[in-house]
Amino acid sequence: MTPDDPQTLVSTGWLAAHLNDPDLRILDASWHMPDAGRDAKAEYDAAHIPGARFFDIDEISDLRSELPHMAPPVEKFMSRMRAMGVGDGHQVVVYDSSGLFSAPRVWWLFRLMGKRDVAVLDGGFPKWQREERETEDLPPMVRDRHMTVQRQAGLVKDVTQVAAASKLLDHEIIDARSPERFSGAVAEPRPGLRAGHIPNSRNLPYGNLLNADGTMKDAAAIKAALDAAGVDLSKPVITTCGSGITAAIINLALERVGHANHALYDGSWAEWGMFTDLKVAKG
């Protein structure tokens, strides 16, 4: 059993005990790969944890960018959260319908906006349902709530910063994609992208940080997975993946083991794999 921490990860039991807290806000941040054939919003409408609001990762993003679901401008994040009734003084719990997949992305996004009272639901909606806990299909009653944001620029990296880190070897770059995608053995799911990985990056498939039931491994097992991937935790870490979603699982895991010096490469392979002037490693 992983210890509950309202700033990183909480159990279904913790959430059930706090479900009626007046300053609790629950977000369903389910997101699926485009080829998964699943509609996250429709699934939310059919059943969700009582009081949960739907957080649309694709819409609450920087739609000016050609890259998928890049972090939104501060003003957009604030306005969307206000409309959802999420603001200052709230404890936020984020979950997804896969177990532990896209919710850490929204946890990271709140961190980027300077909000620390936010946790991911360990095991997500599948665990909640397996335990036969209460669900509903009604939208919550929402009241506007003011939100103050202080963007933490150090938590996100752009392509120039990642390229420098790849050359200078002064960061550990950790890629959450599958070994087949990392090595370049299979084609990328997004058309037009080269196969392979950022030179001098390490591969830690996000599934290696999870238990069979979709919960996150404990601190000792997380450290073992980092060690097995060859990660040197004396260095700051940059996480990456296909499009900046599952990379955040590594950020969450790093936070759980007390390694606070980490950032996420928001463009991830959707950006790096597109530009022919950036080097690609294989194998």
Side-chain angles (χ1 to χ4, degrees):
M1 174 66 86
T2 307
D4 290 312
D5 173 12
Q7 294 193 341
T8 55
L9 199 67
V10 295
S11 64
T12 50
W14 185 97
L15 182 57
H18 291 270
L19 204 55
N20 295 317
D21 289 5
D23 281 328
L24 178 75
R25 293 294 179 269
I26 306 170
L27 302 178
D28 182 328
S30 301
W31 178 91
H32 304 290
M33 290 290 288
D35 59 359
R38 293 179 66 178
D39 184 331
K41 178 61 164 60
E43 291 179 21
Y44 162 85
D45 289 340
H48 52 262
I49 295 174
R53 290 100 159 116
F54 184 72
F55 189 107
D56 188 334
I57 286 175
D58 285 329
E59 197 286 320
I60 305 174
S61 68
D62 187 355
L63 297 180
R64 301 167 302 181
S65 173
E66 294 181 3
L67 297 167
H69 40 251
M70 294 287 281
V74 165
E75 299 76 17
K76 181 173 184 179
F77 183 82
M78 286 169 55
S79 69
R80 293 294 188 273
M81 291 307 98
R82 180 170 186 166
M84 290 166 67
V86 179
D88 295 341
H90 283 149
Q91 169 67 49
V92 176
V93 175
V94 193
Y95 73 88
D96 64 57
S97 59
S98 298
L100 211 155
F101 180 66
S102 54
R105 166 72 187 193
V106 174
W107 168 84
W108 170 80
L109 198 52
F110 271 83
R111 284 289 183 103
L112 180 65
M113 301 297 174
K115 314 306 283 187
R116 296 186 68 86
D117 293 331
V118 55
V120 171
L121 180 63
D122 201 16
F125 198 47
K127 188 169 190 288
W128 185 269
Q129 288 181 303
R130 283 198 305 273
E131 294 166 352
E132 298 184 349
R133 299 186 187 273
E134 183 184 0
T135 63
E136 66 182 16
D137 58 4
L138 302 170
M141 296 287 289
V142 172
R143 291 180 182 170
D144 275 12
R145 179 81 166 241
H146 178 72
M147 177 179 277
T148 314
V149 166
Q150 290 183 305
R151 192 173 186 275
Q152 307 296 304
L155 294 182
V156 65
K157 298 293 184 186
D158 64 23
V159 66
T160 305
Q161 293 168 312
V162 177
S166 171
K167 287 179 184 174
L168 297 174
L169 306 177
D170 57 352
H171 290 68
E172 287 284 30
I173 303 171
I174 311 178
D175 192 323
R177 293 177 301 157
S178 69
E180 296 78 19
R181 289 174 67 187
F182 181 84
S183 67
V186 298
E188 280 295 300
R190 285 182 175 80
L193 298 182
R194 297 170 298 164
H197 59 267
I198 299 167
N200 300 313
S201 60
R202 312 224 179 240
N203 189 207
L204 176 51
Y206 71 87
N208 292 6
L209 297 168
L210 306 179
N211 297 308
D213 65 353
T215 56
M216 182 163 275
K217 290 180 176 177
D218 62 23
I222 290 170
K223 286 178 179 174
L226 290 162
D227 285 345
V231 174
D232 177 2
L233 286 182
S234 70
K235 295 180 180 180
V237 171
I238 300 170
T239 66
T240 183
C241 61
S243 64
I245 299 280
T246 57
I249 298 172
I250 300 177
N251 296 87
L252 180 63
L254 289 166
E255 199 73 23
R256 292 290 287 177
V257 297
H259 186 79
N261 195 354
H262 56 82
L264 185 147
Y265 172 27
D266 204 10
S268 283
W269 199 254
E271 181 176 40
W272 193 281
M274 183 170 54
F275 292 114
T276 54
D277 57 336
L278 294 170
K279 290 182 179 176
V280 167
K282 293 197 173 190

